[in-house]
Amino acid sequence: MLKRYQCIYGLSLIASLMLLSACTRSVSDVDSQGKTVKPVFPDVASAVRPEGSFVNLDNLRQVKPGMTKDQLYELIGVPHFKEGMIRVKEWDYIFHFSRADKSVLTCQYKVLFDNDMKAQSFFYKPEGCLDALNAATVKPVTHQIDKTLAAESLFGFGSATLSREGETEIRQMIAKLKKKNVPVKQVVITGHSDRIGSREKNNALSLARADAVKNLFVEEGISETVIETRGMGDSQPVVVCPGKTTPAVVACLAKNRRITINILE
């Protein structure tokens, strides 16, 4: 009776070990350290959840070696393929990522576990999936032109009418801009005055001068919809020249009498 029991027990133990071994899934030939020479990705059509999921990117970036399966469950959810039941050494996912242009990037994701069932290796198909996502969301490079012109070179004293020399200078600037053949996204033209005179008159004169420059931009084919004008008066001085209005002070304040043109391409 005892021998029969021992025999049955032995057969049961062998069967259990065989079952345990059979239930350990490793199609990618995962070693005891959770590494593989070549990850094998399953066919998407064989997934139990073929539609995949839009994974939380912040959660995915928190995944790291040494995590348990429970921790992975919390971060990225259950695997999307039928991986097995006992001592499964690899999990597979189908992840979708939304791009800035509203398109969707889809990648497969694999996690490999060591013999202690701790996550150790991570793979994407195609490789560099997140790099492709980041590259797709990089904003295009923009170029900005910042130009400051002395008011005296553009206008007569106290005038908002462009002089012939002023027109020539502005037209040459616009010609160089158009020669680059780059769409103009925004133009901000700002007029500045010195402190001489009343604030109201300085504000009005600085805006009128900015509008005069704008009109020349429009005349040269730059869309009025992308141009903004501002009259700052004497509120943003470049230099401070104390004292009463004398020729020396007027000359000192020349840098404050200016037009700034900011162009975003």
Side-chain angles (χ1 to χ4, degrees):
M1 184 69 177
L2 179 59
K3 288 183 178 180
R4 183 181 179 185
Y5 173 78
Q6 289 174 334
C7 181
I8 294 173
Y9 175 77
L11 291 173
S12 177
L13 180 60
I14 292 172
S16 296
L17 290 174
M18 291 179 65
L19 178 62
L20 184 62
S21 176
C23 289
T24 300
R25 297 287 303 279
S26 179
V27 296
S28 297
D29 192 21
V30 184
D31 64 19
S32 62
Q33 302 300 313
K35 309 294 182 182
T36 186
V37 175
K38 184 178 181 181
V40 179
F41 285 88
D43 187 346
V44 172
S46 67
V48 295
R49 189 176 173 183
E51 74 277 12
S53 66
F54 282 84
V55 66
N56 184 305
L57 194 54
D58 289 335
N59 286 359
L60 182 59
R61 285 173 173 152
Q62 292 182 58
V63 172
K64 59 185 179 180
M67 283 190 163
T68 66
K69 291 186 175 182
D70 285 341
Q71 289 174 319
L72 289 178
Y73 272 133
E74 293 176 358
L75 286 175
I76 59 177
V78 298
H80 299 157
F81 293 79
K82 191 175 182 180
E83 312 283 6
M85 295 294 295
I86 302 174
R87 297 188 62 78
V88 176
K89 297 189 73 174
E90 50 191 313
W91 281 0
D92 286 279
Y93 296 83
I94 304 168
F95 286 148
H96 306 298
F97 305 94
S98 296
R99 292 187 172 109
D101 62 0
K102 308 301 181 182
S103 63
V104 175
L105 173 67
T106 298
C107 303
Q108 287 183 249
Y109 183 67
K110 179 184 287 290
V111 182
L112 301 185
F113 299 88
D114 60 21
N115 283 0
D116 295 323
M117 295 297 111
K118 298 291 182 65
Q120 295 297 345
S121 302
F122 313 92
F123 300 92
Y124 286 98
K125 181 183 179 183
E127 292 184 24
C129 172
L130 292 188
D131 292 337
L133 178 67
N134 293 335
T137 57
V138 171
K139 293 182 179 180
V141 176
T142 58
H143 302 275
Q144 184 160 337
I145 300 172
D146 299 303
K147 187 80 171 177
T148 299
L149 304 173
E152 279 83 352
S153 70
L154 303 179
F155 303 95
F157 181 77
S159 171
T161 300
L162 280 164
S163 64
R164 181 175 299 178
E165 293 78 9
E167 280 196 20
T168 299
E169 188 171 359
I170 297 297
R171 289 186 193 278
Q172 288 175 346
M173 178 183 176
I174 298 171
K176 290 180 181 179
L177 180 66
K178 293 169 69 175
K179 190 174 180 180
K180 295 171 65 176
N181 199 28
V182 177
V184 176
K185 296 179 180 178
Q186 184 182 29
V187 179
V188 178
I189 304 170
T190 307
H192 301 268
S193 72
D194 60 24
R195 62 177 174 79
I196 299 172
S198 70
R199 176 161 296 181
E200 292 76 12
K201 288 184 178 180
N202 286 337
N203 288 342
L205 178 61
S206 60
L207 179 58
R209 286 177 168 177
D211 285 336
V213 175
K214 171 188 173 180
N215 292 338
L216 197 54
F217 268 74
V218 173
E219 185 180 319
E220 289 293 322
I222 305 300
S223 175
E224 185 175 4
T225 60
V226 302
I227 304 175
E228 176 185 351
T229 57
R230 301 171 182 173
M232 304 307 296
D234 62 352
S235 64
Q236 296 180 353
V238 176
V239 294
V240 176
C241 306
K244 296 181 179 181
T245 304
T246 63
V249 170
V250 172
C252 176
L253 291 171
K255 289 186 178 181
N256 292 341
R257 301 186 293 272
R258 66 198 190 277
I259 294 287
T260 60
I261 303 174
N262 307 105
I263 303 171
L264 186 67
E265 299 177 309

